[in-house]
Amino acid sequence: MAFYINNKEFKSQEEFCQLGRGCATKNPNPIEIFRVDEEIALNKSRRRLFSKLSIEVRFHHITYGGRGLITKTQREEQITLLNEAFSNANLTFKYSEPNVQFIDNYNWYNMGHGSASEREAKTSLGSDAKKYLNFYTGGLASGLLGWATFPFDLAGDPIIDGVVVLDESLPGGSAEPYNLGMTAVHEVGHWLGLYHTFQGGCDGIGDHVKDTPAHSSANYGKPAIDEPHNACVAGEFAPVQNIMNYVDDDWMKELTEAQDARIKEQIMMYRTGLLNK
Ligand SMILES: [Zn+2]
């Protein structure tokens, strides 16, 4: 059955997910992955950890022709979802209404990943990326739900840092079954240093998180939780409810202990500005 998302037709929901579930976050290459692992290992002994960290979100809502007008309730619900998802990583998220900005711009509203419009919009709108989570919403290029930058790219390109999310994917939006706000949670997971659980498939080096079983490719929809599905190792179950998989919003329910630990390490390595405000 044909599947429509953000003005684009796919053969099926499966095809949409195989093509990336609308997540355009770049696929880190093996050299980058190893560099990051090495840097983290080298700094392990010297690194302090935080017991609690509050991250201030700066919402930048790009609108066009009456579309993209995110409400206060939507922002509040989105923040609640972030607080629930990352509480075990000792993170809380907050924002303040006076810092929310709305900007009407056709090109920015329809921005694609890596586009000139994206860079223009972020250059004009972004707050200091070392201190804040820049959260952009817009209509985006067709077929996309969102994307994020990784912590290890902050120093090299601070302007582009942040998450970009389809306006209709926020709680109460129309991008069913991706309209409960979990796209933003998934993208913030990338922003905090997590890869997809299926990163590298069965042959690659995986997501570098010990307690997420490797699986051959993304899962989609609402897969049964008591089946192995496409796990690479006999006896293991694919993490079908993990936030860093490609399942429906109402199926994204958890992050593992090792994912939470990785988030803390990535913050202490690459996002220390969040602690020094
Ligand atoms: Zn993703």
Side-chain angles (χ1 to χ4, degrees):
M1 200 173 75
F3 181 75
Y4 295 86
I5 199 85
N6 190 15
N7 305 311
K8 189 164 176 159
E9 180 183 341
F10 294 87
K11 267 185 236 152
S12 60
Q13 191 186 1
E14 179 178 10
E15 187 198 59
F16 170 68
C17 289
Q18 282 169 347
L19 292 172
R21 193 199 186 263
C23 173
T25 298
K26 74 165 184 182
N27 196 12
N29 66 51
I31 294 169
E32 268 178 321
I33 292 176
F34 279 121
R35 172 177 68 85
V36 169
D37 283 358
E38 233 164 62
E39 283 175 359
I40 286 177
L42 275 174
N43 283 280
K44 205 154 204 131
S45 59
R46 279 182 286 137
R47 209 167 43 229
R48 54 200 178 98
L49 275 179
F50 55 90
S51 52
K52 226 172 179 35
L53 173 61
S54 173
I55 297 177
E56 186 173 338
V57 179
R58 290 288 170 94
F59 284 107
H60 315 290
H61 300 307
I62 305 167
T63 62
Y64 184 69
R67 285 178 294 163
L69 294 164
I70 303 298
T71 65
K72 180 168 184 260
T73 304
Q74 288 181 296
R75 281 186 288 282
E76 287 170 350
E77 288 181 12
Q78 188 66 72
I79 291 286
T80 299
L81 289 173
L82 290 170
N83 282 327
E84 285 167 2
F86 297 104
S87 65
N88 290 335
N90 304 122
L91 299 179
T92 54
F93 295 81
K94 62 178 179 184
Y95 86 101
S96 68
E97 279 294 318
N99 288 325
V100 176
Q101 53 177 341
F102 289 86
I103 314 88
D104 201 71
N105 184 304
Y106 175 81
N107 288 327
W108 297 357
Y109 184 74
N110 293 295
M111 71 162 91
H113 177 240
S115 64
S117 296
E118 177 188 12
R119 187 164 291 276
E120 252 179 52
K122 288 180 168 180
T123 303
S124 168
L125 306 175
S127 300
D128 184 351
K130 291 188 178 71
K131 297 179 178 169
Y132 307 105
L133 164 54
N134 283 302
F135 188 124
Y136 302 89
T137 63
L140 313 186
S142 68
L144 291 181
L145 289 176
W147 63 86
T149 55
F150 286 115
F152 43 86
D153 287 331
L154 170 63
D157 196 356
I159 292 294
I160 222 75
D161 192 77
V163 301
V164 180
V165 176
L166 176 68
D167 46 14
E168 296 293 348
S169 79
L170 264 67
S174 64
E176 223 179 327
Y178 309 114
N179 60 344
L180 303 177
M182 293 309 285
T183 291
V185 175
H186 174 104
E187 297 306 339
V188 171
H190 287 312
W191 185 79
L192 292 166
L194 299 182
Y195 303 134
H196 293 129
T197 52
F198 50 87
Q199 174 74 36
C202 290
D203 306 318
I205 48 177
D207 63 356
H208 286 214
V209 169
K210 283 194 187 97
D211 56 4
T212 52
H215 53 130
S216 59
S217 60
N219 302 104
Y220 73 98
K222 302 183 217 304
I225 55 171
D226 52 354
E227 288 174 27
H229 296 288
N230 54 354
C232 298
V233 176
E236 289 191 341
F237 286 24
V240 295
Q241 294 205 298
N242 197 283
I243 286 166
M244 300 316 290
N245 203 335
Y246 277 172
V247 291
D248 288 354
D249 271 19
D250 63 358
W251 222 240
M252 285 186 170
K253 293 182 192 293
E254 61 197 21
L255 293 172
T256 65
E257 245 175 74
Q259 283 176 316
D260 291 330
R262 183 180 170 86
I263 285 171
K264 290 185 195 173
E265 284 182 332
Q266 294 267 320
I267 290 173
M268 295 316 300
M269 186 75 213
Y270 302 111
R271 293 201 184 279
T272 50
L274 295 172
L275 294 119
N276 303 325
K277 278 202 300 171

